[in-house]
Amino acid sequence: RVGAIRFSSAEAAAVSLGEPQAPGGMAPTKDSENDSRKKTFSEILAERQVQAQRTVLINCPPNFNAKAFLKYLSQHGNIKNHFFYKSKAMYAVIEFSEKESITSLQDVITIPEFKDEYPIPFKSRILTLMLRKQSDPGSEQTQILCHRQTSIPVEMLLKKLCDAESVSEQLYLLTNECQLTEENTKLRFLACSLIQDIASAYVPDCIVKPFGSTVNTFGKLGCDLDMFLELNKVGKNSAKRKTSPFNIIYQMKKAPSERIAAQRILNMLGEFLDNSGPGCEGVQKILNARCPLVRFSHQPSGLQCDLTLNNRIALKSSELLYLYGSLDPRVRALAFSIRYWAWNHGLTSSIPGAWITNFSLTMMVLFFLQQRQPPIVPTLDQLKKLADAEDKEVIEGFDCTFVSNLNKIAPTSNTETLDVLLGDFFEFYGNFAFNKNSLNIRKGKEQNKPEASALHIQNPFEENLNISKNVNAAQLQRFVSLARDGAWILQQVEKRPLDNSKPWGLAALLQASEPGRVGKGFKRLNVLNSDRVKDLLNSLKM
Ligand code: GTP
Ligand code: MG
């Protein structure tokens, strides 16, 4: 049957209730069954980067025979992995076993010819499959499974949550439903690798690495892709220099400061992405920000990207969150759910402003877990004590040392359930003395606030900085009132009603943000929305 391809929008991850699943792609897997050592963050990252370099992204036409196409591609080498997904069009992600297969494939790829337009000939690994002739009517019909790359709608999630047995099960269910899948993680690493190819045209040997929610185990399907360009590796090969009487250096243009150099490089890359980067649309150069960046939409992957420069401390913070998220399943489920709750209530936003960021929010969850008796997660100082000589890392003068081997961290003896932890989290922050105290996850203790910001969370590595300096008093107040409401709602509807008549537990918490459903939530939300609009307008004015 000609062109009779049926697309099934498959749920990528099979969800089992009450059982936390490994975070897609960033699970600390072991090398083999006999090897008890879990891989470190750097090892997983390196593995994923190599995988991405062996991968191509192909825009596929409707009505094509996928099986025959895969067979055609395998003339160039063994296909180790592949999957299909839909963004604006359907795409195939094809991972070869060997990088050389891509070179072989490139030998048969041609540059397109357009009628009234002209191609800008940057040869990337984003390709388009064209059909030379109509499919053979006798050819086998292929059913293509398209992997979902976005979170399920809130209403559908609420229904699922209501069917769970306990609040704890609800938190695991939410995490399993909305976390990054293996395929989405692969796509994110591929997007970084594609941007690296473009950047390499200017700066050979540079590396583009993902950080933030793509790798910290708390990423939700649909979250932005934070990436940074590492230049420092270039020209650092000084081993031979020391033994020779000669020293040859590159002639380079100079900039008056590191910040200005970063702005110039990002400006140049922004232009290049805009003019020649296949699939890069809506490029914005935000060069005057504290951390200058280029923001763009990567159309083929459907990812919104933020590209920064030499952001090694940010990668280290992401590794720290990854480590905490991998220690105990409750940590990831609680932090993931709190981040979802905050997003659902409009407490966080992808637009920069006076609101709490997901990074700060995650630190608040970790700090809360350090306060339990016995603590559920160790302090950063304790993680530093467990570090090996190879773990020692000083970045820009800041000591970022902590243990990388997960096996060295003893599991907690705390057995509290997430039912208890969720309610207590809201109570803890509903009553926290934010006016006097600062949160410090390095020491695991509250400290006197050194400055007047509304919310003070000490940067784990750059200890003189406050990661939530941007948060204003109104936004903090919204967080506190929503936390108090959360504690109250959970006390009222903690258990599943026998007749399934009302949303309960986490579903009630999330539903309280939907206007009209819960009277109390509705009134409060109108006020919040107007605050939010004001803040948005102010941030735009700034
Ligand atoms: P979403 O992008 O909102 O899904 O969450 P995320 O986990 O990626 O968090 P966010 O985008 O807020 O931050 C990404 C990374 O940037 C964090 O993991 C940190 O490494 C870094 N970062 C964010 N805020 C700060 C800050 O105030 N100071 C420093 N030094 N780093 C920060
Ligand atoms: Mg982010």
Side-chain angles (χ1 to χ4, degrees):
R1 282 173 290 163
V2 186
I5 299 170
R6 276 185 282 122
F7 299 98
S8 71
S9 204
E11 304 266 305
V15 172
S16 70
L17 285 180
E19 202 180 291
Q21 294 186 357
M26 289 306 291
T29 50
K30 296 163 191 169
D31 264 330
S32 69
E33 278 306 304
N34 304 331
D35 186 358
S36 61
R37 194 188 70 91
K38 290 176 185 162
K39 284 183 191 157
T40 64
F41 179 77
S42 315
E43 285 167 342
I44 298 176
L45 226 60
E47 223 169 65
R48 294 247 156 226
Q49 283 170 310
V50 173
Q51 257 175 20
Q53 280 165 1
R54 296 192 301 251
T55 306
V56 290
L57 188 56
I58 307 180
N59 180 341
C60 301
N63 310 335
F64 82 112
N65 184 330
K67 208 168 153 191
F69 177 52
L70 290 171
K71 196 166 163 214
Y72 165 78
L73 283 179
S74 54
Q75 290 170 22
H76 300 281
N78 183 45
I79 297 175
K80 195 168 180 195
N81 237 305
H82 78 272
F83 67 91
F84 294 90
Y85 70 92
K86 263 186 175 173
S87 58
K88 284 198 173 137
M90 185 167 68
Y91 281 90
V93 174
I94 310 283
E95 181 196 335
F96 287 104
S97 299
E98 309 289 336
K99 209 177 163 185
E100 289 66 40
S101 304
I102 297 180
T103 323
S104 158
L105 176 64
Q106 277 169 336
D107 285 344
V108 299
I109 302 175
T110 49
I111 294 179
E113 279 173 28
F114 305 108
K115 217 166 140 216
D116 301 314
E117 292 168 309
Y118 301 90
I120 294 178
F122 181 81
K123 294 179 181 170
S124 78
R125 281 178 285 137
I126 308 177
L127 313 168
T128 300
L129 169 67
M130 312 287 281
L131 297 180
R132 281 233 170 86
K133 54 175 178 150
Q134 275 297 313
S135 319
D136 170 7
S139 77
E140 202 183 325
Q141 178 192 324
T142 338
Q143 188 169 8
I144 299 179
L145 191 79
C146 281
H147 283 267
R148 165 168 76 83
Q149 307 298 326
T150 48
S151 269
I152 62 167
V154 179
E155 308 82 73
M156 203 188 278
L157 178 72
L158 291 181
K159 279 205 189 91
K160 289 194 178 201
L161 292 179
C162 286
D163 291 338
E165 292 298 330
S166 62
V167 171
S168 170
E169 201 175 90
Q170 287 183 321
L171 267 63
Y172 287 131
L173 182 80
L174 170 89
T175 311
N176 286 337
E177 283 290 343
C178 303
Q179 69 183 350
L180 300 185
T181 59
E182 165 69 16
E183 288 74 22
N184 194 260
T185 306
K186 281 197 161 132
L187 194 55
R188 287 165 179 271
F189 276 83
L190 175 59
C192 289
S193 164
L194 294 168
I195 300 304
Q196 177 176 313
D197 286 352
I198 299 174
S200 305
Y202 268 126
V203 200
D205 305 331
C206 68
I207 304 175
V208 173
K209 290 181 181 170
F211 69 99
S213 46
T214 296
V215 295
N216 67 17
T217 75
F218 302 110
K220 167 169 150 294
L221 277 174
C223 67
D224 293 354
L225 169 57
D226 298 301
M227 49 170 92
F228 76 97
L229 179 74
E230 194 168 65
L231 301 169
N232 292 348
K233 293 261 151 73
V234 183
K236 285 273 157 112
N237 188 6
S238 55
K240 285 183 191 136
R241 225 189 279 163
K242 287 182 188 141
T243 53
S244 151
F246 300 109
N247 185 14
I248 305 176
I249 56 169
Y250 288 105
Q251 280 201 10
M252 286 181 173
K253 280 217 166 191
K254 288 175 264 183
S257 71
E258 195 180 352
R259 180 175 167 82
I260 295 174
Q263 287 170 329
R264 287 190 190 163
I265 296 166
L266 284 172
N267 183 37
M268 191 169 75
L269 282 174
E271 286 297 314
F272 196 28
L273 289 175
D274 200 12
N275 290 314
S276 344
C280 301
E281 301 291 340
V283 178
Q284 280 172 276
K285 293 182 277 182
I286 309 171
L287 303 178
N288 286 325
R290 186 186 61 84
C291 185
L293 71 127
V294 175
R295 176 166 289 176
F296 59 95
S297 154
H298 191 254
Q299 300 270 314
S301 61
L303 294 165
Q304 187 66 30
C305 304
D306 278 350
L307 174 67
T308 49
L309 208 71
N310 284 341
N311 216 341
R312 280 175 58 217
I313 295 192
L315 183 64
K316 210 60 199 171
S317 323
S318 305
E319 177 175 352
L320 183 65
L321 296 196
Y322 161 86
L323 191 122
Y324 278 124
S326 309
L327 283 183
D328 184 301
R330 288 170 297 174
V331 181
R332 199 161 73 85
L334 183 65
F336 196 98
S337 305
I338 294 291
R339 288 165 64 122
Y340 193 94
W341 163 83
W343 167 79
N344 174 258
H345 284 272
L347 275 171
T348 51
S349 161
S350 57
I351 306 164
W355 27 87
I356 298 179
T357 62
N358 268 323
F359 183 51
S360 297
L361 199 57
T362 313
M363 288 291 173
M364 291 173 92
V365 176
L366 295 174
F367 182 80
F368 161 74
L369 294 173
Q370 288 175 337
Q371 311 310 304
R372 306 307 290 175
Q373 287 308 328
I376 297 184
V377 294
T379 64
L380 180 49
D381 273 343
Q382 287 164 339
L383 293 177
K384 186 177 167 182
K385 277 206 191 104
L386 293 172
D388 290 332
E390 313 80 274
D391 292 332
K392 183 148 182 61
E393 196 160 357
V394 178
I395 307 172
E396 294 160 23
F398 297 102
D399 190 352
C400 301
T401 307
F402 60 89
V403 63
S404 62
N405 181 352
L406 285 162
N407 294 335
K408 287 179 79 179
I409 308 166
T412 173
S413 56
N414 181 310
T415 56
E416 286 174 297
T417 65
L418 282 170
D419 298 50
V420 172
L421 293 173
L422 183 66
D424 284 6
F425 172 87
F426 288 133
E427 246 170 58
F428 183 78
Y429 285 113
N431 297 305
F432 191 86
F434 287 109
N435 56 339
K436 285 205 313 257
N437 291 335
S438 151
L439 280 66
N440 180 336
I441 70 144
R442 180 170 282 281
K443 304 261 174 272
K445 278 198 198 118
E446 294 166 22
Q447 291 184 322
N448 287 338
K449 261 202 316 199
E451 38 139 317
S453 318
L455 175 61
H456 196 283
I457 305 173
Q458 197 189 66
N459 187 310
F461 302 119
E462 296 161 86
E463 292 181 50
N464 51 341
L465 297 181
N466 170 14
I467 62 163
S468 47
K469 205 178 166 69
N470 62 310
V471 178
N472 65 16
Q475 290 298 321
L476 179 66
Q477 191 48 48
R478 288 182 56 202
F479 171 79
V480 171
S481 10
L482 279 166
R484 286 182 187 163
D485 284 1
W488 183 83
I489 291 171
L490 278 180
Q491 277 164 18
Q492 306 308 305
V493 284
E494 196 177 13
K495 296 268 175 309
R496 179 179 171 174
L498 286 174
D499 56 356
N500 250 356
S501 55
K502 286 200 302 259
W504 62 280
L506 185 58
L509 278 178
L510 297 176
Q511 192 165 40
S513 79
E514 288 190 15
R517 295 263 181 103
V518 174
K520 189 168 177 284
F522 181 43
K523 275 197 207 125
R524 192 201 57 232
L525 200 83
N526 277 343
V527 178
L528 296 182
N529 277 343
S530 64
D531 279 354
R532 192 163 167 69
V533 169
K534 269 188 232 146
D535 280 330
L536 269 167
L537 288 173
N538 284 338
S539 75
L540 286 174
K541 272 188 225 149
M542 275 157 67

